[in-house]
Amino acid sequence: GQQVMQIPQYQHVQEGEDFTTYCNSSTTLSNIQWYKQRPGGHPVFLIQLVKSGEVKKQKRLTFQFGEAKKNSSLHITATQTTDVGTYFCAGPGAGNMLTFGGGTRLMVKP
Amino acid sequence: GAGVSQTPSNKVTEKGKYVELRCDPISGHTALYWYRQSLGQGPEFLIYFQGTGAADDSGLPNDRFFAVRPEGSVSTLKIQRTERGDSAVYLCASSLFGRSEQYFGPGTRLTVT
């Protein structure tokens, strides 16, 4: 079945440093979604990428979808303590059920 | 507006007992999903409803797990003969018809002792 993998599993950064998480799918995706889960919270939808090579920005966050639609990345510029949490990528399967990656847990030292 | 709600927020039960977990999706969302999340892992798909019917239950781990959505709104996940390995956070999500982004509830933390 479809597998989605993320690296790294954890990342500690100093506030103000940049952060990147990478996502790879075993199959070609129709779209890729990114979610953020704060400690003790639930996943919150951030963005969806649909087109091959697509790049989208949300303030300090930049999302990319690979040309082959099998990989994606999330880059945060100048991290802040409010960025703390686990970032998940997810790819849809039949019926829009999502296969989530294992997540990258971001910790920011002030 | 109101988001996805789930009750109870926490449930502690003894091994072998039966439990029901409830999900109330966002009003107007026809699609409803159940996921299970273990510590340090991503959510794992269990079952998907479009309206009243289970469109995909391929993620249910075994026949101890069952879910219903009789009126196309509220859904109940039922677990029979609970085992310690069932301990996890059970997340419910809903989405609008034709849209793939999902809105998650706060989850029910199930602990089987």
Side-chain angles (χ1 to χ4, degrees), chain A residues 29 31-32 49-54 64-67 69 71:
Chain A
L29 300 170
N31 67 76
I32 189 116
L49 304 170
V50 178
K51 299 177 184 175
S52 169
E54 187 170 15
Q64 293 189 332
F65 199 10
E67 294 291 339
K69 301 183 77 172
N71 62 291

Side-chain angles (χ1 to χ4, degrees), chain B residues 20-36:
Chain B
E20 290 189 351
L21 312 179
R22 175 189 166 107
C23 171
D24 200 342
I26 293 172
S27 178
H29 282 197
T30 57
L32 185 148
Y33 306 82
W34 284 98
Y35 294 85
R36 179 168 70 174

Side-chain angles (χ1 to χ4, degrees), chain A residues 9-10 31 33 35 37 40-45 48 88 92 94-103, chain B residues 33 35 37 40-45 48 56 58 91 95 98-107 109:
Chain A
Q9 196 173 0
Y10 303 96
N31 67 76
Q33 298 177 33
Y35 290 77
Q37 186 171 25
H42 56 276
V44 174
F45 174 78
Q48 175 180 274
F88 293 99
N96 280 335
M97 51 74 76
L98 292 173
T99 300
F100 282 81
Chain B
Y33 306 82
Y35 294 85
Q37 187 174 29
Q41 297 182 19
E44 177 189 20
F45 169 74
Y48 155 59
D56 184 349
S58 61
L91 294 164
S95 67
R99 300 294 297 258
S100 52
E101 66 266 30
Q102 297 181 14
Y103 296 86
F104 283 80
R109 181 175 299 278

Side-chain angles (χ1 to χ4, degrees), chain A residues 30-77:
Chain A
S30 59
N31 67 76
I32 189 116
Q33 298 177 33
W34 285 90
Y35 290 77
K36 177 182 178 180
Q37 186 171 25
R38 294 183 185 275
H42 56 276
V44 174
F45 174 78
L46 293 178
I47 205 161
Q48 175 180 274
L49 304 170
V50 178
K51 299 177 184 175
S52 169
E54 187 170 15
V55 178
K56 285 189 175 181
K57 292 191 175 185
Q58 288 180 348
K59 296 182 180 178
R60 295 177 294 104
L61 278 61
T62 301
F63 303 84
Q64 293 189 332
F65 199 10
E67 294 291 339
K69 301 183 77 172
K70 294 182 72 174
N71 62 291
S72 181
S73 65
L74 158 58
H75 180 81
I76 302 178
T77 303

